[in-house]
Amino acid sequence: VYAEFFFARSGKQWVRILAPSIKVQVYHRISHILADAACLLLVLQMFVSEGKEVSVMIIEGKQKRTPPFKAIFRHFTQFWNGVDCMCMIGFSVLVYYWVVHILNAQTLSDMLEGEAFGQRTMIGSEMEKQQALEALLDQVELSLRHQLAVAYLRSVFLFLVPMRMFKAFSAQARLSILTRTVAVCAVDVFHFLLIFFTLFMTWAVSGIVLFGSSVEEFADFERAMNTCLRVVLGEIVWHEVREEAGPIVAGL
């Protein structure tokens, strides 16, 4: 259990209790193992196919007297090849962290089933009990950190999967309309997002100035950005702001 304390510049403080859980047994169904094995095979297939393309590029570069590094760099600077490169790097990092997470979970499970914690009461002297508890808590914190890291990596790298799907779409006449449309309007979308985020950050800073000393949701820039995003998505924070800042300021 974690207690997160937050102190605003005005002196007001908030506390949030976090109680995350850890999966000691990562694979409790055979279907989970099969799914991860299939995913690993697909990643290996991607490495093999990209390796063949790179080898062809190196051979062609030698025929044209081009250095291998320059040929590889030219290959992966193309957009879709760059997407493949990011997928390989991303999923390699994900597999590494996943293996470390499995090993940490197994270590934690062995500690819980060992002599010190496998019975109803702990055995040994007080010093041995304290050392065993400290080692257990350190292992729990390490396992929790790796579990959160795996969750964050999953959420980020899952966005790479649709990018590879778009690459497949570009090879089909009807489906390639989507990718071509995105490519044509990319510049206009970028300018729109630039103006939108400029106004959005101004809105967040205004919320900090008005409610930062009394409302937790606007206590700092990160929380204000998150709250403004919730408001844009349709969530109303009127009651929280009205109770802390009053109806006039809340209306502003």
Side-chain angles (χ1 to χ4, degrees), residues 135-155:
L136 178 64
L137 292 177
D138 291 339
Q139 185 62 37
V140 168
E141 187 172 358
L142 181 63
S143 300
L144 180 61
R145 262 202 315 265
H146 278 91
Q147 179 174 288
L148 293 176
V150 169
Y152 293 148
L153 289 173
R154 279 178 174 178
S155 64

Side-chain angles (χ1 to χ4, degrees), residues 85-136:
C85 181
M86 289 190 295
C87 288
M88 291 188 296
I89 296 174
F91 285 109
S92 299
V93 174
L94 180 60
V95 169
Y96 169 75
Y97 272 90
W98 181 248
V99 172
V100 173
H101 170 59
I102 293 174
L103 296 177
N104 286 328
Q106 185 62 41
T107 303
L108 181 59
S109 177
D110 295 340
M111 293 177 66
L112 293 174
E113 296 176 357
E115 297 180 356
F117 302 98
Q119 302 177 4
R120 290 181 177 272
T121 58
M122 296 181 62
I123 59 176
S125 62
E126 293 297 329
M127 182 64 67
E128 293 175 349
K129 293 180 181 179
Q130 183 177 358
Q131 292 177 353
L133 284 174
E134 290 178 354
L136 178 64

